[in-house]
Amino acid sequence: FVHEMLVADAMIAKAKTRDERMAALTAAIEALRGPYYAVVAQATFDRDVRDAADRGQPLTADSISKIYCDAKARYSPKSIARGEGECLNWVTEPYIYYDMYFYRYLLATSAAAWFAERIEGGDRRAAGGLKDLLRAGGSEDGPTLLKRAGFDVTDPAGYAAMTRRLERLTTALEQEVGPGRSSH
């Protein structure tokens, strides 16, 4: 993910026309939407189903479908209409049930934003930490390797890099499409 973020930022910086900048910004935002914000909805669904089970609520297809649709709606634009059948998508997504899949995915994406932000800011320690992390592969658990590389999974401040990234990208795109802007 770090590489994808760095490439996206380079494409934005090298865009020569308004259309190129808008396309690069849109692609960079979309690259966050699926791997991060859609995964947040999935993790919310997972948590809410587990919470309902812990409270002793019966988990039926209807109740799980409602939890699924509520989670999706919470993290999707309000303008997206959902058909009744979409609320059953949880049935066809087996990765939902893999060992903490969504939490691991969110952790990896958050760490990538943190590393990208620092590397682009000239932080050589972060660049070296990322190289060490990649060299380590799966030799230890992820949180241990990330902490050694500089990203502390227990520090909420580390996760703010993703929010800053999205805010930076959307602000730049809003400026490109703002009132009074010509496409030429």
Side-chain angles (χ1 to χ4, degrees):
F1 290 130
V2 177
H3 181 258
E4 292 172 17
M5 291 178 187
L6 295 173
V7 168
D9 290 347
M11 295 300 293
I12 293 164
K14 291 180 180 183
K16 291 181 175 43
T17 67
R18 177 177 177 255
D19 288 343
E20 287 177 3
R21 274 189 304 282
M22 287 176 52
L25 287 163
T26 300
I29 291 168
E30 279 300 304
L32 298 180
R33 191 183 63 77
Y36 192 77
Y37 292 96
V39 173
V40 170
Q42 294 288 22
T44 299
F45 164 71
D46 181 59
R47 182 205 61 208
D48 291 351
V49 167
R50 291 172 192 263
D51 287 351
D54 289 346
R55 289 189 305 270
Q57 293 177 338
L59 294 174
T60 65
D62 287 340
S63 67
I64 294 172
S65 293
K66 180 177 180 346
I67 292 169
Y68 182 84
C69 270
D70 288 350
K72 287 291 190 181
R74 183 172 174 192
Y75 296 100
S76 298
K78 304 299 179 218
S79 60
I80 294 178
R82 295 205 190 297
E84 190 174 314
E86 289 180 74
C87 293
L88 291 172
N89 283 351
W90 62 271
V91 173
T92 62
E93 297 176 358
Y95 49 83
I96 290 172
Y97 310 103
Y98 296 156
D99 186 32
M100 304 298 280
Y101 173 82
F102 292 114
Y103 302 101
R104 292 172 190 238
Y105 205 89
L106 288 169
L107 174 61
T109 309
S110 298
W114 185 88
F115 280 109
E117 181 179 80
R118 278 158 182 74
I119 290 168
E120 290 178 330
D123 185 338
R124 291 187 182 272
R125 286 185 59 199
L130 178 61
K131 288 178 185 175
D132 292 342
L133 175 68
L134 294 172
R135 277 189 211 105
S139 61
E140 293 180 70
D141 71 309
T144 300
L145 293 171
L146 284 167
K147 187 166 187 167
R148 191 174 303 134
F151 181 82
D152 184 354
V153 301
T154 64
D155 184 0
Y159 298 90
M162 181 59 81
T163 303
R164 285 191 298 273
R165 179 173 184 77
L166 183 61
E167 287 174 354
R168 176 177 54 83
L169 293 169
T170 55
T171 298
L173 184 59
E174 287 168 350
Q175 290 172 347
E176 289 297 329
V177 298
R181 294 297 309 237
S182 169
S183 62
H184 301 289

